[in-house]
Each structure stands twice: as C-alpha cells, then as structure tokens.
C-alpha cells in the first residue's frame, strides 16, 4: 500500500543532498512538492507542525468565480487612469476562472457549489449596472467554462427564492440583489494530503514536525539547512544540502528569510492579517443558502452554508504576535455577531448560537502604504536571489484556489535555475480515497465513512503524529461534529498500537485534543 508511512528517522536525512528543499507544508508547499517531484526533481519538504495546520486549514474555503476582482477600489475610472490595475483585475479573474474550470474537471469531489446572493443598496459604491458590466465581462473571460449563473433581481423576487435575502437589513433602501455561483473547498486539508501522497509517489521525501532552524548559503550557491525534530527534543539536528530553497512558509516567510541571511535579510515580504470565522446552526429553511456583503468597516463579510451549519466571517486584523498562537478570541466572536446582526438582523444571533470558531493568519504581500498589505495581485513570486539569497524563492499571498497554477509556475522558475534532463511524469489531481469495507465500525453514526479501520489506515499510511492530526486534518470529523468523549477515546485507542501509544499517551492525546478544540475552536 502506498502512502507517507511513518516519519523517516531524522538521522536518515543527515547529510542528504536534494535538488529542492521546500520549507512549509501548507497548500503551496505540498502542491509545489507534488509538481516538482513529478517533474523529476529530488525534493524534500519539511513542515514544523502538521501538514496543513496553518493558514491552509483556516481559510474561508472559497473558490471565487472572480467577479469581486473586477470591482475597482473606488471608481471604474481608476481602470482607465491606471491600466495596470485593470490588468491585475483581469488577470486575477482569469486565474480564478481557470482554477474553477480545472478543479471542476479534475477534482470535483473536493468542491461544493455555493450560490451567493449580494444586496445592492441605494448609494452603494457599486451600483447594480456596474456589477452587470463586471458580470458580462466575466462571462466573456469565462468563454466555454462552467456557468457563473449571474442574475440581478428585484429584492422581493430574490427573497422569494433565497430565504436569507428576507433577513437583510433595511429592505426599503435595497435596490436589487445579485447572485452567482462560487464553489467551496469541502476539505482544504485533504487537498494538501492529496498533493503530498502524489509527491511521495514520485519520490519526494516529506516530513512533518520538522523545523528548519538554520539556513546557510554555501559557496557554490546551494543551501545547508539544519532540521530539528519537534517531536523528539533529544534527537540530534540533521543537516541537509539543497541546490534550491523554496521558502513557502506563509506568514513565517520573513522569519525564515531572516534565518537565511541574518546580517542583511531581504526586505519585508509579509503582513499577517488575522481572520476569524464563527459557525452557527440556522433554521432548516436557510440550509444551503449563502449571502455576502460589506460590514460596517467596509470589509467583505459573508454567511455561507457548510453542511448543517453556516459560517460567518471573516475578521481582518493585523496580527503581530506569535503566528503559531493565532486563535479566535471572544472579542472576534462579539465583533462577528454584531456585524452579522447588523447585516442580517432577522437572524438575531447570540453567543449561545455559535457552535465553533477558527482563525488563521493570511500571508498578505507587504506594502508600506497599506496597513493590511497588498491584496491584489494574489500569489506574488519573489526571487530572493535579487536580494542576496541566491537560488531561493518565495511566494506571498498564495491562495488555496490558485495553488496548482502557482506550483506549475514555481516549477518553471526552478527549471530556469536548475534545468533537469530527466523524464517528467504527468501530475495526477485525483482525490485520494480511504479504504472501503474495513469491516470496522464508524466512530460516529452520522459519518459512516470514518471507521476505526480508516483511522488505522491513516495511522499507517499518512504520517499523523497526534490525535488532532487524525481527526482534523486526515479526516474531516473534528470540523463536522462535536465528538463525544467516548468517540475521542475510541479514535485514540484505534490507532494506539500502530503509533506505539501506551495508556498514558492515549490519555495525553485525548486531553490535548480537548484543549485544542477549546483553544482553536472555542468549543467547550
Ligand atoms: C481567514 C482567511 C480566509 C481565507 N480565505 C480564502 C479563500 O476563501 N480562498 C482561498 O483560496 N484562500 C483563502 N485564504 C488564503 C489561503 O488560506 C492562504 O493564502 C494559503 O492557505 C497559504 O498557504 P501557504 O502554504 O502559503 O501557507 P500556510 O498554509 O500558512 O503554510 C505555511 C507552513 O509553513 C510552516 N513553517 C513555518 N516556518 C517553518 C519552519 N521554520 N520550518 C518548517 N516549516 C515551517 C508552517 O508551520 C505552516 O504550516 C484565506 C486565509 C485566511 C487566513
């Protein structure tokens, strides 16, 4: 059976030479590892926590159709006076449409359709006719692609079809409601795993809980990296050598660059902007309907269907603390409840309606003139060689939805630095599947697909180290249900022998799981 297996002992990596060292096991690191390995490169990816445990599992999960990128910041005239803005907007819209087309063709099981409605009020920055023009342009750019299903209607007509429209504030000032189809990533963490499993099939080595603690440029232009095992404090450091360094550490990019060139680090690349969401259970009649708009700070806000729940968010606050400690706070929850009750007053949401929450740090491209960074374009490559770090590159504000295109782009950049004569293989975007018919019982009745046999398979083949890894990132269960204590214990016991956990360790994993959901999801 193929898979990541258990973690390679760190000593085995000592003195290894690889073509490319990828630091960071978020969506961009995993996808880049997959594409480079398929191209024939000898790749090592290291992640200091679990794979997909940072921004890639904390997003709003949307695969936007691209309409929002065609909205000018202030007035459509700016597209005439500053054509570069129009170019960026068109480019972002096209990339979104391409990503949507590609995902729907290659990996539809990882997407869910999301029909969004957005109200237009009198005096809004974007009158309805401007949105119509944007949608028409998007339709042209989307030629032959899956329909965007754009419509703009009278609010009364829209409310008859979309029950959340009837909950919107100030119906007297509402001029129209437009709607279109976006998609939602069902399970972004699994996209990372899919990519890693593929990378591994092509020979890439991947190791979680492995931190790069030191980087030294070598006289030949390559890199030496010191790797530390975060699960085993007594293990020695492994030193590996790489021809090319890819710093794909999201919100940690500057920290890692600083490590590589302490005397004269490259200029600042990132501003970390925290985003929190809350999930609530709305009455049955709203199930499946999503709505979006602007909050009173003029920032995007939505309420999106997500299984039996809806999630609301995100917040936008510059985060200057320890990125590993980003988590939702009660202040975030209060802010989101206030804003959603302003936008959709009929819902009358209270703190007790909040089922769970999550927060992440967006790795937004630094811009000295914008406190919250430069949002457009997304996915900005930086050749660090221009700033003294030879044979090193990074990517800022690389979204989940663009990760495949970004990885292909990265492959081309690597090829320019290190041309390879070898044979490349096609990249497969197939979604990995769990074994069926394990003849074991499901952990919880509502999710028959996650049996104890599946958990054991994960423990054997997908390199989890903790119960949280299994329940939140290898399966989706932690996100979907508040697991009862006996199910948490059952999960830990199911994998205990595979992961060499004795009873004390089982207890510790259960306690850690409970602390994790309390802190990271505000679930008590
Ligand atoms: C609130 C919010 C909403 C968003 N909404 C959307 C959306 O709707 N659609 C969309 O497409 N995108 C969205 N995004 C953006 C998207 O989630 C991120 O841009 C993307 O996940 C970044 O992926 P990454 O791989 O670059 O970084 P990350 O996922 O953050 O991964 C970087 C990894 O590097 C590791 N690392 C750091 N330092 C080291 C080291 N020294 N050694 C080893 N490993 C290290 C970290 O542990 C981390 O796991 C959103 C993001 C947020 C936070």
């Amino acid at each position: 059976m193929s898979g990541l297996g258990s973690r390679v002992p760190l000593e085995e990596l000592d003195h290894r030479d690889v073509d490319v060292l990828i630091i960071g096991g978020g969506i961009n690191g995993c996808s880049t590892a997959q594409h480079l390995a398929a191209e024939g490169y000898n790749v090592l990816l290291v992640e200091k926590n679990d794979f997909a445990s940072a921004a890639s599992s904390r997003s709003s999960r949307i695969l936007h159709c691209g309409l929002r990128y065609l909205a000018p910041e202030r007035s459509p005239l700016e597209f005439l006076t500053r054509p570069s803005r129009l170019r960026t907007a068109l480019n972002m819209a096209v990339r979104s449409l391409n990503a949507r087309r590609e995902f729907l063709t290659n990996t539809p099981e990882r997407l869910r359709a999301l029909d969004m409605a957005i109200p237009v009020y009198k005096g809004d920055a974007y009158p309805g006719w401007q949105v119509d023009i944007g949608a028409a342009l998007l339709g042209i750019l989307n030629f032959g692609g899956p329909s965007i299903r754009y419509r703009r209607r009278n609010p009364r007509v829209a409310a008859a079809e979309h029950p959340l429209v009837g909950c919107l504030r100030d119906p007297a000032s509402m001029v129209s409601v437009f709607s279109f189809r976006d998609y939602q990533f069902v399970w972004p963490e699994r996209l990372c795993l899919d990519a890693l499993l593929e990378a591994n099939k092509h020979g890439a080595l991947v190791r979680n809980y492995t931190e790069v603690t030191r980087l030294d440029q070598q006289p030949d232009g390559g890199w030496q990296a010191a790797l530390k095992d975060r699960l085993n404090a007594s293990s020695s450091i492994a030193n590996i050598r790489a021809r090319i360094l890819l710093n794909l550490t999201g919100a940690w990019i500057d920290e890692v660059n600083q490590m590589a060139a302490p005397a004269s680090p490259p200029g600042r690349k990132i501003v970390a902007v925290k985003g929190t969401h809350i999930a609530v259970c709305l009455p049955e009649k709203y199930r499946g309907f999503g709505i979006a708009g602007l909050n009173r700070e003029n920032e995007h806000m939505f309420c999106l269907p997500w299984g039996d729940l809806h999630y609301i968010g995100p917040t936008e606050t510059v985060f200057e603390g320890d990125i590993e400690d980003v988590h939702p706070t009660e202040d975030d929850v209060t802010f989101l409840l206030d804003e959603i009750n302003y936008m959709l007053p009929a819902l009358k949401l209270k703190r007790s309606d909040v089922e769970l929450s999550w927060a992440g740090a967006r790795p937004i491209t630094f811009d000295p003139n914008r406190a919250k960074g430069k949002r457009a374009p997304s996915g900005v490559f930086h050749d660090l060689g221009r700033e003294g770090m030879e044979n090193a590159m990074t990517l800022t504000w690389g979204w989940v939805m663009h990760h495949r295109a970004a990885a292909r782009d990265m492959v081309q950049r690597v090829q320019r630095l290190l041309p390879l004569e070898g044979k490349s293989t096609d990249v497969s975007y197939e979604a990995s599947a769990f074994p069926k018919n394990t003849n074991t019982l499901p952990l919880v009745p509502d999710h028959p697909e996650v049996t104890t046999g599946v958990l054991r398979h994960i423990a054997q083949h997908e390199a989890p180290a903790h119960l949280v890894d299994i329940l939140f990132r290898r399966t989706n269960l932690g996100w979907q249900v508040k697991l009862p204590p006996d199910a948490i214990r059952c999960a830990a016991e199911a994998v205990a022998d595979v992961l060499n956990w004795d009873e004390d360790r089982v207890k510790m994993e259960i306690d850690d799981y409970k602390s994790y959901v309390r802190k990271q999801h505000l679930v008590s």
Side-chain angles (χ1 to χ4, degrees):
M1 177 82 66
S2 64
L4 306 181
S6 50
R7 294 158 76 242
V8 188
L10 194 62
E11 305 78 63
E12 280 187 27
L13 295 182
D14 201 19
H15 294 111
R16 283 241 187 165
D17 276 291
V18 295
D19 294 330
V20 185
L21 170 65
I22 298 176
I23 314 176
I27 191 69
N28 289 306
C30 297
S31 179
T32 303
Q34 173 189 18
H35 286 77
L36 282 171
E39 205 54 42
Y41 286 94
N42 179 1
V43 174
L44 170 65
L45 177 148
V46 288
E47 161 55 52
K48 70 174 170 176
N49 289 307
D50 190 24
F51 306 121
S53 56
S56 300
S57 64
R58 304 296 159 129
S59 79
S60 308
R61 301 159 176 251
I62 307 174
L63 200 178
H64 299 281
C65 67
L67 186 58
R68 66 188 278 187
Y69 312 125
L70 295 177
E73 259 180 53
R74 284 180 202 89
S75 125
L77 283 181
E78 81 194 37
F79 283 154
L80 295 176
T81 53
R82 303 182 70 174
S84 65
R85 290 220 171 144
L86 178 62
R87 265 199 308 279
T88 302
L90 291 174
N91 183 279
M92 285 177 71
V94 168
R95 284 169 61 209
S96 302
L97 291 168
N98 288 346
R100 177 184 154 104
R101 196 180 310 209
E102 177 174 1
F103 267 98
L104 281 171
T105 308
N106 296 330
T107 333
E109 53 279 72
R110 297 279 183 250
L111 294 182
R112 192 184 286 141
L114 197 61
D115 289 319
M116 299 277 255
I118 302 188
V120 179
Y121 288 97
K122 271 183 214 144
D124 265 2
Y126 305 112
W129 62 265
Q130 270 184 31
V131 186
D132 292 347
I133 293 177
L137 182 55
L138 198 68
I140 295 168
L141 297 173
N142 187 38
F143 180 73
S147 169
I148 287 142
R149 303 191 183 200
Y150 176 80
R151 283 192 299 169
R152 190 160 65 85
R153 287 159 295 164
N154 169 301
R156 261 196 304 280
V157 177
E161 290 175 21
H162 189 308
L164 275 175
V165 171
C167 301
L168 283 162
R169 71 173 168 89
D170 201 2
S173 312
M174 207 187 301
V175 188
S176 57
V177 174
F178 63 95
S179 58
F180 54 89
R181 173 157 285 188
D182 269 349
Y183 286 86
Q184 186 178 50
F185 290 108
V186 177
W187 188 5
E189 297 85 343
R190 197 69 207 174
L191 287 174
C192 297
L193 251 289
D194 289 346
L196 283 180
L197 290 166
E198 269 297 307
N200 192 248
K201 268 192 209 157
H202 293 293
L205 271 173
V206 303
R207 198 171 197 275
N208 50 359
Y209 295 100
T210 305
E211 182 173 11
V212 171
T213 54
R214 190 186 159 118
L215 286 164
D216 292 294
Q217 182 106 57
Q218 301 299 290
D220 64 359
W223 289 91
Q224 175 161 303
L227 309 181
K228 183 176 126 193
D229 192 331
R230 287 186 118 191
L231 295 180
N232 183 357
S234 62
S235 90
S236 51
I237 296 283
N239 286 300
I240 64 104
R241 287 168 56 89
R243 307 277 298 277
I244 293 178
L245 174 70
L246 300 184
N247 174 0
L248 299 179
T249 56
W252 288 267
I253 283 173
D254 290 325
E255 196 180 298
V256 170
N257 283 348
Q258 168 81 39
M259 199 189 289
S264 54
R268 183 170 172 189
K269 299 282 175 281
I270 280 290
V271 54
V273 177
K274 179 181 166 187
T276 301
H277 295 81
I278 52 174
V280 296
C281 186
L282 298 183
E284 178 89 36
K285 64 178 170 181
Y286 300 123
R287 205 155 287 173
F289 293 98
I291 203 148
L294 294 176
N295 66 18
R296 282 173 287 182
E297 297 189 358
N298 227 16
E299 288 168 333
H300 292 280
M301 169 138 196
F302 41 71
C303 173
L304 301 181
W306 190 42
D308 295 346
L309 303 178
H310 276 74
Y311 58 85
I312 293 162
T315 59
E316 303 258 356
T317 45
V318 173
F319 188 81
E320 279 163 351
D322 175 2
I323 311 274
E324 281 198 52
D325 196 36
V326 173
H327 61 275
T329 63
E330 285 300 327
D331 283 351
D332 297 334
V333 175
T334 305
F335 173 83
L336 288 170
L337 285 172
D338 284 351
E339 289 303 325
I340 203 69
N341 282 329
Y342 169 75
M343 185 169 143
L344 296 161
L347 292 182
K348 294 192 175 62
L349 287 170
K350 304 180 294 302
R351 177 64 183 89
S352 54
D353 295 316
V354 177
E355 303 258 340
L356 90 159
S357 178
W358 69 90
R362 301 172 183 85
I364 301 186
T365 309
F366 176 71
D367 179 338
N369 301 314
R370 292 164 197 254
K372 293 184 183 173
K374 190 173 176 185
R375 300 291 170 125
S378 59
V380 179
F381 287 91
H382 306 263
D383 175 358
L384 299 172
R386 296 197 184 140
E387 296 180 76
M389 284 176 61
E390 241 183 286
N391 295 319
M393 287 183 276
T394 190
L395 171 74
T396 55
W397 201 207
W399 291 350
V400 174
M401 59 192 259
H402 295 150
H403 68 268
R404 290 179 179 164
R408 289 191 289 263
D409 201 342
M410 195 61 102
V411 168
Q412 288 181 7
R413 288 161 197 270
V414 167
Q415 280 168 335
R416 288 201 280 275
L417 291 176
L418 185 65
L420 204 65
E421 293 296 309
K423 227 174 52 192
S424 66
T425 335
D426 287 343
V427 175
S428 159
Y429 295 120
E430 209 176 302
S432 57
F434 292 137
K436 296 206 167 55
N437 308 323
T438 56
N439 283 329
T440 52
L441 291 174
L443 208 56
V444 283
D446 288 349
H447 294 274
E449 71 287 1
V450 185
T451 60
T452 51
V454 162
L455 300 184
R456 290 178 66 76
H457 167 88
I458 288 168
Q460 279 158 352
H461 301 288
E462 297 189 354
H466 294 295
L467 191 57
V468 170
D469 304 342
I470 296 173
L471 294 176
F472 269 92
R473 293 181 280 271
R474 304 303 183 280
T475 73
N476 209 3
L477 219 49
W479 284 104
Q480 292 178 299
V481 270
K482 184 176 171 192
L483 288 172
D486 59 333
I488 302 172
R489 170 158 276 280
C490 176
E493 285 175 350
V495 296
D497 64 320
V498 185
L499 296 174
N500 293 322
W501 293 350
D502 59 15
E503 179 52 25
D504 284 349
R505 176 71 188 265
V506 165
K507 279 197 193 119
M508 192 187 88
E509 290 292 334
I510 293 171
D511 289 346
D512 287 353
Y513 181 85
K514 291 179 182 164
S515 317
Y516 177 88
V517 293
R518 258 196 310 273
K519 180 168 178 183
Q520 294 294 335
H521 298 289
L522 301 182
V523 173
S524 49

